Amino acid sequence: MTGNIHVVVVGGGYAGVMAANRMTMRDDVTVTLVNPRREFVHRVRLHQLVGGSDAAVVAYQEVLAEGVRLAVDTVTRIDAPARRVTLAADGRLDYDYLIYAVGSGGTELSVPGAAEFAHPIGTLEAAQRLRTVLDAAPAAAPVTVVGAGPTGIETAAELAEQGRRVTLVCGGVLGPYLHSRGRRSVAKRLAQLGVSVIDGSGAKVTAVTRDAVRFADGRELPSEITVWSVGFGVPDLAARSGLSTDAVGRLLTDETLTSMDDPRIVAAGDSAAPSGLPLRMSCLNAIPLGARAADTVLSRLAGDQPKNLHQSFYAQCVSLGRKAGIYQFANRSDVAVWLHIDDGLGARIKELVCKGIPKHLADEANKPGSFSLHRAPGGVAKRRKLLRASRAEVRAAVDRAA
Ligand SMILES: Cc1cc2nc3c(=O)[nH]c(=O)nc-3n(C[C@H](O)[C@H](O)[C@H](O)COP(=O)(O)OP(=O)(O)OC[C@H]3O[C@@H](n4cnc5c(N)ncnc54)[C@H](O)[C@@H]3O)c2cc1C
């Protein structure tokens, strides 16, 4: 390819910023990052925005390479055959390569009453709205957090530390990712903060009203503010644009993160589904995936075969208010192991991680190509094993159906 090459990155979160910064390694590449906001959302701090201890935004100047053009806009359609995206506010952009990094947000509020009365927390705007609602409510108002993954746990702890009366409804187990030892530690800290935890599969919320949540067994829990934290959904841009996606709408790619439909489209972060076996939605995975996506495009530009993705490092770091946290170690299959660090040291590690994220992005902005976690050895064999197992599973399902 000769002349100037235009790479459009859709989505300026962790994966998109990492990818955009890395693309500036080549002088003959122009990079445009399209993102609907002027500021970078530090999503892993959104529960702190709700609790009032952080604004959860960072100026793009601090994390984005000078050479990247930021277009504050929203991509409404990708026209793959024409290599063009349509923008909501300002026309169209042609591209040579597109990096799809639109991330995730809250899930559909399908439980009756949830869309009307519950408050999601997965995006900046949702977290800001929830903060306003909390500010307007009396301190003694009962708060229910529905969903006890890391985001629900962090939100419940943050609000309880502010003196709120919080109930955390798990709809299953507390912190499904955690090892049983880690879970016990989290349960202990939540109890110290005064959070009531309702777990077990019977305690699934089936309806939300203005002042209560209702369970499957007919019980009702008074709830003046209901926070909805039951997982992340992804934008439907890829599906709307006629690109192949998995069942939830993540762009389907091969192991180099290249779209199954088009070698000019590469995906990263929460909205990528490599081989239909996506990594856990997390910042921990989004940043290396962003680097991997850029490396795939850079390899193609250099006429080289892009390398397959391999992640070798997994963990989960959950804050439990400002004074405690847990760092849950995991194996190379992303399964939690017995080892964790909790209490005050856990909180300090979590804070270091949160501070380290914009720094990783800034380092890549200042020295493109310097990030290397996605190239760390290990992880390849595990990924291959996982792919083989999933192929066997698909074959078995086809056989069963035949
Ligand atoms: C409260 C909370 C705490 C969390 N804590 C942790 C944690 O401790 N550790 C961890 O690993 N993960 C954590 N996560 C998860 C983590 O934030 C996400 O997995 C991560 O943000 C994914 O990064 P991403 O770059 O794929 O997407 P995002 O960060 O979601 O960024 C995507 C960007 O794309 C933009 N976009 C979407 N559609 C379009 C479009 N059509 N056109 C242009 N731009 C578009 C979005 O507005 C957004 O700016 C947490 C999440 C929340 C909500």
Side-chain angles (χ1 to χ4, degrees):
M1 188 173 281
T2 54
N4 196 273
I5 299 146
H6 189 205
V7 175
V8 171
V9 180
V10 188
Y14 303 110
V17 169
M18 172 52 78
N21 288 346
R22 203 166 183 89
M23 286 311 307
T24 64
M25 273 169 85
R26 280 182 67 129
D27 293 339
D28 58 349
V29 170
T30 303
V31 189
T32 304
L33 176 68
V34 187
N35 190 71
R37 298 175 207 85
R38 269 178 206 291
E39 285 176 305
F40 174 81
V41 178
H42 198 0
R43 271 184 83 199
V44 305
R45 289 203 192 270
L46 282 182
H47 59 290
Q48 285 186 250
L49 189 166
V50 170
S53 63
D54 199 280
V57 286
V58 174
Y60 268 114
Q61 293 92 297
E62 286 180 32
V63 290
L64 198 59
E66 265 181 31
V68 177
R69 185 177 84 90
L70 175 66
V72 180
D73 214 323
T74 299
V75 172
T76 53
R77 193 177 161 76
I78 302 165
D79 183 346
R83 283 195 226 141
R84 183 172 297 153
V85 294
T86 307
L87 303 177
D90 194 15
R92 291 165 184 181
L93 281 175
D94 292 330
Y95 63 81
D96 294 298
Y97 283 91
L98 180 131
I99 298 181
Y100 185 81
V102 295
S104 61
T107 45
E108 219 180 294
L109 303 171
S110 50
V111 168
E116 218 176 336
F117 300 115
H119 303 277
I121 190 213
T123 63
L124 178 72
E125 293 74 16
Q128 284 169 336
R129 278 193 296 273
L130 173 56
R131 172 101 195 114
T132 308
V133 169
L134 282 158
D135 282 346
V143 178
T144 306
V145 178
V146 183
T151 307
I153 293 172
E154 289 186 320
T155 307
E158 207 76 30
L159 294 177
E161 206 176 59
Q162 308 276 310
R164 299 270 175 188
R165 280 172 53 204
V166 182
T167 302
L168 178 61
V169 179
C170 304
V173 295
L174 172 70
Y177 180 88
L178 299 168
H179 187 271
S180 53
R181 287 181 77 236
R183 186 171 300 123
R184 274 200 296 280
S185 168
V186 169
K188 188 171 142 210
R189 180 63 192 162
L190 289 174
Q192 282 165 355
L193 288 169
V195 177
S196 307
V197 175
I198 302 182
D199 57 5
S201 55
K204 279 214 162 41
V205 172
T206 53
V208 183
T209 64
R210 189 178 298 282
D211 53 11
V213 294
R214 201 167 295 142
F215 296 104
D217 58 12
R219 267 183 306 158
E220 264 198 13
L221 178 75
S223 178
E224 220 162 287
I225 300 167
T226 302
V227 182
W228 204 253
S229 177
V230 297
F232 298 147
V234 299
D236 64 354
L237 176 63
R240 256 191 296 125
S241 302
L243 297 165
S244 301
T245 64
D246 70 358
V248 300
R250 287 174 280 224
L251 187 77
L252 264 184
T253 74
D254 64 13
E255 289 289 289
T256 70
L257 300 180
T258 306
S259 158
M260 302 308 268
D261 307 303
D262 187 338
R264 299 290 184 132
I265 299 179
V266 176
D270 284 0
S271 53
S275 306
L277 282 174
L279 306 184
R280 176 164 48 93
M281 286 189 187
S282 62
C283 173
L284 178 103
N285 287 328
I287 291 181
L289 284 171
R292 171 65 58 202
D295 283 0
T296 288
V297 177
L298 290 164
S299 295
R300 291 236 158 78
L301 292 174
D304 298 335
Q305 174 59 34
K307 291 201 168 55
N308 285 355
L309 90 104
H310 59 92
Q311 293 290 91
S312 55
F313 173 72
Y314 292 107
Q316 192 175 71
C317 199
V318 183
S319 64
L320 298 163
R322 295 299 85 212
K323 300 185 190 84
I326 181 164
Y327 190 89
Q328 170 68 70
F329 289 87
N331 64 21
R332 283 182 170 171
S333 302
D334 199 14
V335 174
V337 296
W338 62 272
L339 183 64
H340 67 259
I341 299 169
D342 55 10
D343 296 332
L345 185 54
R348 284 201 290 283
I349 294 174
K350 170 79 181 189
E351 188 51 28
L352 276 178
V353 169
C354 289
K355 283 202 173 114
I357 293 166
K359 191 176 173 315
H360 280 311
L361 299 175
D363 287 349
E364 186 68 16
N366 296 326
K367 203 172 167 215
S370 58
F371 182 84
S372 62
L373 190 63
H374 63 305
R375 292 189 186 139
V380 182
K382 285 286 177 195
R383 181 83 190 157
R384 275 204 203 114
K385 205 169 144 195
L386 197 66
L387 288 170
R388 271 201 302 272
S390 92
R391 279 187 205 118
E393 218 172 83
V394 171
R395 266 199 305 274
V398 170
D399 288 347
R400 273 199 303 277

